[in-house]
Structure formats: C-alpha cells, structure tokens
C-alpha cells in the first residue's frame, strides 16, 4: 500500500503538469489573445510541433493514466505467481515511464529551440525572425525586443510561455526518471524476483 501511494502520488503529479502544458501551448497560438496570426501562419515555426499540446499534454495524460493503473498492482495479476505479477507490472511501469521521458523530453527540446530562435514578427524590414542570428543572446538584452512591431509584446509572450513549457516538461522528465530509477532498482536488486518459476508458463 505504501509503495502504491508513493508511485500513485508521482503519477498524479503528471496530470496537472500535462494539463498546464496543453493550456500554455494553446496560448502560444494566440499572441495577445488574437486569432489572426495563427490563421495567417504568422507564428514561430516551433509552435506547430505541438510539443505541449500533444506530447507533454495528451500523450503524458495517457502515460499518467497507465502508470496509475500499473501502480495499483494489488488488483491486477498477469501470471499465477504474485511475485511474478508484481515484477511484470513494475517492468511495464519502467517502459511507460521511459516513454514519458521521451515525450516530455521532446517538448523540452522543442521549447528550448523555440525560445532561442525568437518570435516570427513584423519589423521595419517586414515579417521574419528578427533574432534568429543572435543565438539566444537577445534574451538577456530586452532593449532590442522593440524591433518586433507586430504582434505587440510578442517577444515577452514567447519568452514567458516557452519558459513555462520548458519548466513543465522538465518536471515531467524528472518525475518519470525517478520512477524508472525506483522500479529498476526494485527489479534488479531483488525486491521483485526476475526468475520465472517453473510451471508459470
């Protein structure tokens, strides 16, 4: 029961993180609450990778739901031996946790690239990536953010939202990594036997 509460707590933490990732990603499509820029494809290219919406969002919700089911290993048996059943439940938990690391890691990387690239905006020279050649140095020099004339305050919008996505997906990676380490240690160090007993299969 104690291990279920601990594992279930970690899995439950993934749910609000995933929901917030969906919300933040959706906000990236509507600078200043306006739909014009999304409909006219005048957004940074990285928002179309659906990193927070699909990967750290919907897919992570699925991972969290599966992990919650697997954590309650007292109700489900996959073979005749209770010890064998627990072993395979933990092994599946490791696999889905590793998948969670992959999808949240994808969101983290894409969000970081979007943050460094900077927004797609209108300057005096027209629509383009005003800070693409700065290698992210514009992030520490807010005096040049005014180069973007439209959408208004788009630099702040992108910096804040991409930074939140990086934080949310980073927390997801940490939680899933903790789960992998805990369950692998239980399997490999003998808490659950890795030897299939005769007569089970």
């Amino acid at each position: 029961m104690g291990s279920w509460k601990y594992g279930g707590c970690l899995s439950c933490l993934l749910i609000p993180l995933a929901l917030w990732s969906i919300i933040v990603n959706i906000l990236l499509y509507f600078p200043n609450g306006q739909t014009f820029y999304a409909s006219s494809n005048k957004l940074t290219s990285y928002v179309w990778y659906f990193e927070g919406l699909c990967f750290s969002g919907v897919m992570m919700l699925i991972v969290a739901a599966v992990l919650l089911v697997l954590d309650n290993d007292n109700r489900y048996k996959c073979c005749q031996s209770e010890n064998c059943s627990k072993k395979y439940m933990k092994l599946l938990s490791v696999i889905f946790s590793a998948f969670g690391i992959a999808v949240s890691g994808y969101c983290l990387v894409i969000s970081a690239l979007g943050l460094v690239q900077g927004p797609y905006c209108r300057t005096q020279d027209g629509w383009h990536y005003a800070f693409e050649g700065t290698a992210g140095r514009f992030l520490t020099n807010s005096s040049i953010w005014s180069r973007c004339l439209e959408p208004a305050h788009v630099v702040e919008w992108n910096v804040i939202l991409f930074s939140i996505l990086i934080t949310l997906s980073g927390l997801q990676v940490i939680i899933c990594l903790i789960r992998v380490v805990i369950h692998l240690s239980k399997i490999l160090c003998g808490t659950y036997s890795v030897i299939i007993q005769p007569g089970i299969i």
Side-chain angles (χ1 to χ4, degrees):
M1 180 63 72
S3 61
W4 180 86
K5 287 183 178 179
Y6 183 75
C9 181
L10 286 176
S11 300
C12 286
L13 287 175
L14 293 173
I15 295 175
L17 293 175
L19 293 175
W20 275 110
S21 293
I22 293 172
I23 293 171
V24 172
N25 198 159
I26 291 174
L27 288 175
L28 279 168
Y29 293 109
F30 309 109
N32 301 318
Q34 300 178 2
T35 61
F36 166 75
Y37 303 106
S39 60
S40 58
N41 198 23
K42 292 181 177 178
L43 299 172
T44 177
S45 60
Y46 285 108
V47 304
W48 301 110
Y49 285 72
F50 305 110
E51 61 273 18
L53 188 60
C54 291
F55 289 84
S56 276
V58 174
M59 294 179 75
M60 186 55 70
L61 284 175
I62 295 173
V63 169
V66 172
L67 292 177
L68 283 171
V69 172
L70 292 174
D71 284 333
N72 193 5
D73 53 15
N74 291 324
R75 296 184 182 179
Y76 301 95
K77 292 184 179 181
C78 60
C79 50
Q80 296 176 6
S81 168
E82 182 179 353
N83 195 46
C84 166
S85 182
K86 286 184 177 181
K87 182 197 72 170
Y88 282 110
M89 288 298 179
K90 296 307 175 186
L91 184 59
L92 284 174
S93 182
V94 169
I95 293 172
F96 276 94
S97 295
F99 179 70
I101 293 174
V103 296
S104 56
Y106 172 88
C107 178
L108 193 153
V109 171
I110 295 300
S111 299
L113 290 174
L115 181 65
V116 171
Q117 182 188 52
Y120 183 75
C121 62
R122 183 177 66 83
T123 68
Q124 293 180 347
D125 299 322
W127 286 89
H128 65 106
Y129 291 97
F131 311 106
E132 191 172 21
T134 66
R137 289 188 295 272
F138 76 95
L139 295 170
T140 59
N141 186 7
S142 58
S143 62
I144 64 173
W145 292 1
S146 58
R147 290 181 187 176
C148 283
L149 304 177
E150 186 184 358
H153 307 294
V154 68
V155 181
E156 294 92 331
W157 188 268
N158 273 26
V159 168
I160 291 172
L161 295 179
F162 274 126
S163 297
I164 293 174
L165 272 181
I166 290 172
T167 302
L168 293 172
S169 57
L171 289 172
Q172 290 175 338
V173 168
I174 292 172
I175 290 172
C176 290
L177 185 60
I178 290 173
R179 290 185 56 90
V180 169
V181 172
I182 290 174
H183 293 313
L184 270 182
S185 65
K186 286 181 178 180
I187 293 172
L188 298 177
C189 296
T191 303
Y192 301 112
S193 174
V194 296
I195 301 176
I196 299 179
Q197 300 174 6
I200 293 176
I201 58 174

